[in-house]
Amino acid sequence: MGQVTITVKKNGSLRIDDPNGVIEMVDAEGNRYDLTGKTAFSLCRCGASANKPFCDGTHNKIAFQANDTAPTVPKVG
């Protein structure tokens, strides 16, 4: 079984790759999104997608900028 990977795209979406196709995504009321047959999809991070919560590429048109680097956690002790 493959591992689910979430990739923070540079100044873009959150890319979810699920080689097993078993991710379940629900809205605030618990209603399921239809992800039938999808092993990958992207979620909007810029807030401007016309297809929220999914990305439609609008971040490119609005020149969305974000800090996409994972922070370094300081070692304790």
Side-chain angles (χ1 to χ4, degrees), residues 51-74:
N51 192 30
K52 289 184 204 91
F54 301 100
C55 175
D56 67 0
T58 300
H59 58 272
N60 292 317
K61 296 175 188 164
I62 66 169
F64 176 68
Q65 298 288 306
N67 182 359
D68 298 320
T69 306
T72 302
V73 178

Side-chain angles (χ1 to χ4, degrees), residues 28-76:
E29 286 80 40
N31 301 306
R32 292 184 179 139
Y33 287 91
D34 183 8
L35 300 175
T36 304
K38 294 187 189 290
T39 58
F41 57 94
S42 294
L43 297 176
C44 176
R45 227 173 22 127
C46 73
S49 174
N51 192 30
K52 289 184 204 91
F54 301 100
C55 175
D56 67 0
T58 300
H59 58 272
N60 292 317
K61 296 175 188 164
I62 66 169
F64 176 68
Q65 298 288 306
N67 182 359
D68 298 320
T69 306
T72 302
V73 178
K75 293 182 181 179
V76 177

